Amino acid sequence: MRYRYRIFPALAALLLITTGCASLLTVPGTPVVVEPLPTVEAYMAQRIDWQPCENGSAECGSIRVPVDYADPGAMAINMPLIRLRATNPAARLGVLTANPGGPGESGYEQVRYALNPKDTGLRKFRIRYDLVGFDPRGVGRTAAVSCLSDKEMDDYLATDFTPTDAAGVRQVADAHKRYAAACLRHTGKLLGFLGTEFVAQDMDIMRSALGEDKLNYFGFSYGTRLGQYYADRFPAHVGRMMLDSIDDPSQTTDRWDFTPDPEPPDPTRLWAQDRTVRDMLTACAARPDCPLDHDPDIAMRKLRELIDRVDKNPIPTKDGRKLGSNLAVLGIFEATYDEAMWPGFERAFVDALQGDGTGLAQLADGYVGRSKTGRYTSSQPAFWAVQCANDDPKSYRSKSEEQILAELQHNADRAEVTSPLFGRNRAFSAPLCLFWPVPPTSVSKAAHAIGAPTIVLLNNTGDPATPLTEAQHVAEELADAVLVVRKHEGHIAFDNGSACIDAIAVGYFFDGVVPDRGTRCDD
């Protein structure tokens, strides 16, 4: 079962500040649907008319991309771009673009943040690269997916995704169906053309429009899947590519092909996220100032009891919402991505025990893209639109709703054994794709990128979102790849406290230095 991937910390801070603002939404006055061009070759021949952005510190432009590459002359959308020119033009190496993850996060904002002197991520590469940012189709400024209103989204997230009877299971299904139907109603035809394979083709149009023979790329989390798709489809156009926190596309399974496992679930094989929560509570217990119990077993018991309690009786938050079990679980789940969130989780846990759900709700808001003003970005609906595109089109709608609900119940019962904290909730909240209104467009499979230059992979040992085993498998599947492993808990290796990892990234992008196989970073 796959979960949403997070971006690196510096950008996360920016997105939390600007969430709900026009900068993360389709810009008013910017056309979404534009005049199509007759052929793919015509799209490739575009040139970008760069103009100063509003604040004058960056350049803005756009390209057109066809909605359907099989029928390029039927419909096109506008893809806004942002460019920060290399600060040392004499040493310029080309263009560097990136994707921060999700799917659903903004690559446009990721590059825009490099203007901030506090940025220690992409900003360092600007010395020798033009940084070019874009939002994948369906995200942010590029024809953003639209589904529920802000109030409707609040209501959806207040759904009890831990049902214990048939009526509760039916309520879950109805919530998913309302969400899916709203996506089709507000997004229209584009909803069926948001798969990763389309974005990879859009990237090659962007490369051509930039006048570049090669595209240099830094992908994070889901962005590593996008990088693999691009390198597999356009190996001759790959420049220097680094992928951080590896998403293995071959691990995606057919959601409609449910075969019950005859073996009972093993309670000793806990999900990575449950293990991370245990680590969070243990780390707190070892500190004299821990606000939680100094026995992690007791703290874990209190956490489970809290989830059960707010499931039955939601507690208030300071913004007027109620914290039920779903928001509580999402808040705890969000904290597992980065050790920097652990102190905030501790405070939120203590507050919730005292009847104030604000802290856990705010952690959950970071996960679903909700601002302090109650506005949602396009990240959550875009996430589902892309995820639901990755499946076998032949299996779509191959089961009745009754079969689906019975299988969800079975999955929930099993998941609860190996994930007492998250299993039941995730089993019922994650299968939105089973109710999706448009069929998937491609079966995910391993990428090989035969003919591409060496691709450098980074992964933490204790990443709960993109486990090291997936990175190891991708390294084996790619024709030419080197995996660098960092001994660290949490998601994202680069720009996350490791001088070793950061030096490898700079050496690779600036000087083309490929690290030795088996390289490890322990800082």
Side-chain angles (χ1 to χ4, degrees), residues 309-390:
R309 186 161 65 251
V310 300
D311 184 52
K312 297 179 178 65
N313 296 293
I315 58 177
T317 69
K318 291 177 180 177
D319 64 7
R321 287 179 294 167
K322 295 283 189 178
L323 182 90
S325 60
N326 186 50
L327 279 186
V329 165
L330 288 178
I332 299 166
F333 196 81
E334 169 76 349
T336 66
Y337 281 95
D338 193 339
E339 285 187 44
M341 298 185 189
W342 293 9
F345 160 75
E346 293 171 7
R347 293 190 297 272
F349 185 7
V350 170
D351 289 345
L353 290 174
Q354 297 173 353
D356 180 3
T358 303
L360 284 178
Q362 288 176 344
L363 281 170
D365 290 345
Y367 186 83
V368 299
R370 186 186 192 272
S371 75
K372 292 181 180 179
T373 61
R375 297 289 309 280
Y376 286 87
T377 70
S378 64
S379 62
Q380 185 79 349
F383 169 82
W384 286 114
V386 176
Q387 292 288 67
C388 297
N390 293 323

Side-chain angles (χ1 to χ4, degrees), residues 152-407:
E152 289 169 336
M153 191 65 180
D154 281 346
D155 292 342
Y156 173 77
L157 293 172
T159 301
D160 179 5
F161 286 112
T162 56
T164 55
D165 55 27
V169 173
R170 175 62 60 183
Q171 288 177 351
V172 166
D174 290 343
H176 284 322
K177 286 190 289 185
R178 285 193 297 271
Y179 191 122
C183 292
L184 182 60
R185 183 167 63 252
H186 294 299
T187 305
K189 181 181 179 180
L190 180 65
L191 195 64
F193 297 92
L194 296 176
T196 307
E197 71 275 18
F198 295 106
V199 181
Q201 292 175 285
D202 296 344
M203 286 172 60
D204 205 51
I205 288 179
M206 180 180 70
R207 174 202 59 79
S208 179
L210 288 166
E212 298 289 321
D213 293 329
K214 307 284 186 179
L215 191 65
N216 305 295
Y217 177 79
F218 203 165
F220 300 85
S221 202
Y222 162 77
T224 69
R225 176 183 290 233
L226 179 55
Q228 291 172 69
Y229 270 59
Y230 183 83
D232 204 44
R233 178 71 183 272
F234 305 105
H237 295 161
V238 175
R240 293 173 185 172
M241 179 176 287
M242 179 170 279
L243 306 178
D244 182 348
S245 303
I246 311 303
D247 175 15
D248 183 357
S250 71
Q251 296 298 307
T252 302
T253 58
D254 183 352
R255 298 178 180 89
W256 299 87
D257 181 21
F258 174 76
T259 303
D261 188 342
E263 296 297 324
D266 182 354
T268 66
R269 300 184 64 182
L270 287 177
W271 286 9
Q273 288 78 11
D274 285 69
R275 294 196 303 270
T276 300
V277 173
R278 165 67 65 172
D279 292 341
M280 292 159 60
L281 299 177
T282 301
C284 181
R287 300 196 327 266
D289 63 342
C290 176
L292 307 175
D293 201 285
H294 287 279
D295 183 335
D297 289 330
I298 295 176
M300 181 66 79
R301 176 175 56 79
K302 289 180 178 179
L303 188 60
R304 293 174 184 169
E305 290 173 350
L306 172 67
I307 295 171
D308 290 340
R309 186 161 65 251
V310 300
D311 184 52
K312 297 179 178 65
N313 296 293
I315 58 177
T317 69
K318 291 177 180 177
D319 64 7
R321 287 179 294 167
K322 295 283 189 178
L323 182 90
S325 60
N326 186 50
L327 279 186
V329 165
L330 288 178
I332 299 166
F333 196 81
E334 169 76 349
T336 66
Y337 281 95
D338 193 339
E339 285 187 44
M341 298 185 189
W342 293 9
F345 160 75
E346 293 171 7
R347 293 190 297 272
F349 185 7
V350 170
D351 289 345
L353 290 174
Q354 297 173 353
D356 180 3
T358 303
L360 284 178
Q362 288 176 344
L363 281 170
D365 290 345
Y367 186 83
V368 299
R370 186 186 192 272
S371 75
K372 292 181 180 179
T373 61
R375 297 289 309 280
Y376 286 87
T377 70
S378 64
S379 62
Q380 185 79 349
F383 169 82
W384 286 114
V386 176
Q387 292 288 67
C388 297
N390 293 323
D391 211 338
D392 187 351
K394 296 179 181 178
S395 298
Y396 178 68
R397 295 287 172 89
S398 58
K399 293 184 177 179
S400 68
E401 189 168 307
E402 288 70 23
Q403 288 176 294
I404 292 172
L405 299 186
E407 289 173 4

Side-chain angles (χ1 to χ4, degrees), residues 26-27 29-36 43 46 48 60-67 75-81 108 134-144 190 202:
T26 300
V27 180
T30 300
V32 174
V33 178
V34 293
E35 185 71 23
Y43 287 96
Q46 295 177 88
I48 302 166
C60 291
S62 66
I63 58 173
R64 283 179 278 183
V65 295
V67 170
M75 184 178 179
I77 56 174
N78 186 67
M79 177 183 285
L81 306 174
Y108 188 107
F134 73 99
D135 289 344
R137 54 172 64 198
V139 176
R141 297 171 180 258
T142 306
L190 180 65
D202 296 344

Side-chain angles (χ1 to χ4, degrees), residues 427-510:
F428 279 109
S429 63
L432 176 59
C433 295
L434 294 175
F435 302 91
W436 205 242
V438 295
T441 52
S442 69
V443 179
S444 294
K445 58 184 179 181
H448 303 297
I450 297 171
T454 304
I455 298 172
V456 178
L457 312 178
L458 311 175
N459 218 93
N460 292 331
T461 54
D463 191 326
T466 51
L468 179 59
T469 53
E470 294 198 15
Q472 292 167 333
H473 184 250
V474 167
E476 293 172 356
E477 291 289 343
L478 289 171
D480 189 356
V482 170
L483 172 62
V484 177
V485 176
R486 181 193 179 194
K487 185 179 180 181
H488 183 69
E489 298 293 320
H491 196 43
I492 304 298
F494 173 72
D495 191 31
N496 207 2
S498 171
C500 173
I501 288 290
D502 293 355
I504 287 172
V506 170
Y508 174 68
F509 279 115
F510 281 3

